[in-house]
Amino acid sequence: MGVAVETEELALLGGPKTVVDDDPDLLAWPIVTDEDRQALLAVLDQPGSCSDWDITLELEREWGEFLGTRYNLGYPNGTMALQAAWFAVGIGRGDEVVCPAMTYWATVTPALMLGAVPVFADIEPDTLCLDPNDVERRVTDRTKAIAVTHVWGHPASLDPLLDIARRHDLKVIEDCSHAQGSAYRGRKCGSIGDVSACSMMARKSLAAGEAGMLSTNQREVYERAVLYSHYERHASDLTIPELQAQGGLPFGGVKGRMAQFCAAVGRVQLKHFPARSAEIRAAVDRFFDLIADVPGLRPHRIAEPDSSMGGWFYPHALYDPEALGGLPVGRFIQAVRAEGAWISPTASFCLHQAPLFTTGDIFHDGRPTALANAGRDGAVEPPALPVTEALAGRALRVPWFKHDRPEAIARHAAAYRKVAAQAHRL
Ligand SMILES: *Cc1c(COP(=O)(O)O)cnc(C)c1O
């Protein structure tokens, strides 16, 4: 569908807007119907249900069927699911763990709190996920695990990462908070490493409210996750004698039960998720196809036939100001917004430079916790991560269409095309 507006005056300079129709549910998420409302009210109306876990067990079972994982455990949020995942694979004092700096903090902070030493590695310029070559360079004889985030739904390069893990006897933790339903070479992300965790908070592509889920195919990993925070299930779910003997109180010191309101909504959302995420993929691909030849914008997506971006998570394009005559990203955003199209800058993720990991002294050791965990003195030298650092100001959130409406999507694409075509005038 062609929308020929590229030669019209830019809206920012007084010309007509490109996106004029009011279509509020084009981007709205989650999609809520009476089915969600009824599921929610049923929890409220069922005596004792608010703090029970029978509905959560159903969500866990259905999530396992969706993902292809045998053991699945619900949490109040993705952060706690990640905490439990790190504990579950046995990470503890002095262990080195290789992590991306380009991720949400909760991928990495639990390792620090368990006494481990985060070692940050760089990302690949196309996937924006961990670069296996850089990971391998950072592995030492103290390394115990690799954590990967499938950034913005793009599967990480798991085959080479799993190969490194096999050769060095490392655990692999997948943070799937952006990648529910994403696939890597025919397998669902979150079913491939030793353990996975994901957020199901309302802004993620599977939106249950505030919730998280841990998944694994290994019984011992599951039971350690139960030991961490699901004390109410210790009696029923701990079967390994050494873990059974330790049960009773949560080893994480926290209570990890998912709210059943969220579990109930999550079940309805999951039921519709395959169809809705297929429509999202069609819509976002349609948009990216329409801007594929626009200079200065490179879609962050996967082309491999047996891999997928799931339900996406804020689709991104990588911005190259040089291709647009040096147009600053802020001005590009301003001009696209003036056209009535949706666009947003993204926060930069440079966890390796954050005070928590460089100078933070959480436990009053008199030195940064990251060094105390390593048993060393001195100062933390953040590694140089050129690809991660170069991303700041270059990643743009483009519309996360929830409906495949060709006319509306073409209008949005036309707005981007118009601004790029007239970048020299800005
Ligand atoms: C959202 C998110 C989390 C944390 O999940 P919460 O449910 O907000 O606690 C962890 N990792 C990544 C990559 C996320 O995007």
Side-chain angles (χ1 to χ4, degrees):
M1 181 147 330
V3 180
V5 296
E6 281 164 43
T7 54
E8 288 177 350
E9 178 66 287
L10 291 167
L12 191 62
L13 304 179
K17 271 187 164 193
T18 310
V19 181
V20 284
D21 43 331
D22 188 27
D23 194 357
D25 74 334
L26 186 63
L27 303 173
W29 196 253
I31 295 170
V32 175
T33 69
D34 277 341
E35 206 179 342
D36 300 88
R37 292 185 193 99
Q38 273 155 21
L40 197 54
L41 289 177
V43 179
L44 209 49
D45 288 339
Q46 172 75 33
S49 191
C50 296
S51 283
D52 208 336
W53 55 95
D54 55 325
I55 303 168
T56 303
L57 288 175
E58 291 297 307
L59 176 64
E60 290 170 358
R61 189 178 53 72
E62 289 157 1
W63 178 250
E65 276 168 17
F66 174 74
L67 206 61
T69 42
R70 192 168 304 149
Y71 306 108
N72 302 276
L73 194 54
Y75 287 87
N77 51 51
T79 300
M80 199 188 285
L82 282 157
Q83 289 172 6
W86 281 105
F87 175 81
V89 296
I91 295 308
R93 178 143 346 266
D95 294 340
E96 289 181 10
V97 296
V98 184
C99 304
M102 167 62 200
T103 183
Y104 184 71
W105 52 262
T107 317
V108 187
T109 50
L112 191 68
M113 299 304 288
L114 284 167
V117 184
V119 174
F120 291 101
D122 214 347
I123 52 174
E124 299 172 312
D126 48 354
T127 67
L128 304 182
C129 304
L130 269 186
D131 175 354
N133 292 321
D134 200 49
V135 168
E136 179 116 52
R137 272 196 289 280
R138 296 179 196 278
V139 170
T140 72
D141 55 8
R142 293 178 299 281
T143 309
K144 292 287 163 53
I146 304 171
V148 297
T149 299
H150 304 293
V151 174
W152 303 327
H154 198 304
S157 297
L158 281 176
D159 278 345
L161 289 167
L162 289 170
D163 180 56
I164 294 168
R166 223 172 354 251
R167 284 187 282 108
H168 297 280
D169 193 20
L170 313 177
K171 303 294 185 189
V172 174
I173 297 170
E174 292 180 76
D175 183 345
C176 295
S177 300
H178 299 178
Q180 294 96 341
S182 290
Y184 177 74
R185 299 186 174 167
R187 285 192 289 165
K188 288 252 172 63
C189 292
S191 69
I192 303 172
D194 291 280
V195 67
S196 72
C198 76
S199 168
M200 294 180 174
M201 59 90 85
R203 276 192 288 279
K204 304 296 160 72
S205 75
L206 184 73
E210 293 285 1
M213 189 70 81
L214 175 147
S215 301
T216 179
N217 283 310
Q218 300 169 29
R219 182 76 206 179
E220 186 178 352
V221 171
Y222 170 74
E223 292 201 14
R224 284 183 59 86
V226 170
L227 185 65
Y228 185 81
S229 58
H230 286 71
Y231 65 93
E232 74 279 14
R233 301 202 208 173
H234 282 187
S236 59
D237 287 26
L238 298 182
T239 62
I240 298 169
E242 304 85 79
L243 298 179
Q244 219 170 27
Q246 311 242 281
L249 302 183
F251 267 47
V254 291
K255 172 178 161 179
R257 198 184 303 160
M258 183 189 285
Q260 294 234 95
F261 297 122
C262 297
V265 171
R267 289 189 67 202
V268 177
Q269 291 290 320
L270 179 57
K271 183 174 138 196
H272 296 288
F273 187 68
R276 287 177 184 164
S277 58
E279 182 164 1
I280 291 171
R281 287 198 298 277
V284 175
D285 274 330
R286 180 186 300 283
F287 174 79
F288 276 145
D289 289 345
L290 289 171
I291 65 158
D293 61 342
V294 173
L297 291 177
R298 183 159 59 86
H300 174 241
R301 64 172 164 174
I302 189 156
E304 286 188 37
D306 54 354
S307 298
S308 117
M309 302 283 284
W312 290 83
F313 177 72
Y314 291 104
H316 279 69
L318 299 179
Y319 183 73
D320 175 12
E322 286 80 57
L324 292 173
L327 182 67
V329 65
R331 188 75 173 151
F332 183 84
I333 291 172
Q334 202 185 5
V336 171
R337 282 188 180 153
E339 298 296 334
W342 194 93
I343 189 168
S344 176
T346 207
S348 66
F349 297 86
C350 283
L351 292 184
H352 59 305
Q353 296 166 345
L356 175 61
F357 295 109
T358 54
T359 54
D361 179 3
I362 303 165
F363 300 111
H364 298 188
D365 289 305
R367 54 188 164 160
T369 298
L371 280 183
N373 288 355
R376 287 192 286 117
D377 284 313
V380 175
E381 278 293 329
L385 304 178
V387 184
T388 300
E389 289 157 26
L391 209 58
R394 286 187 173 246
L396 288 176
R397 290 177 169 187
V398 302
W400 186 4
F401 298 107
K402 308 306 190 310
H403 302 276
D404 188 18
R405 296 180 184 149
E407 172 66 20
I409 293 169
R411 285 271 158 199
H412 271 81
Y416 280 69
R417 299 182 68 89
K418 181 180 173 187
V419 172
Q422 300 188 49
H424 58 283
R425 303 190 55 232
L426 285 164

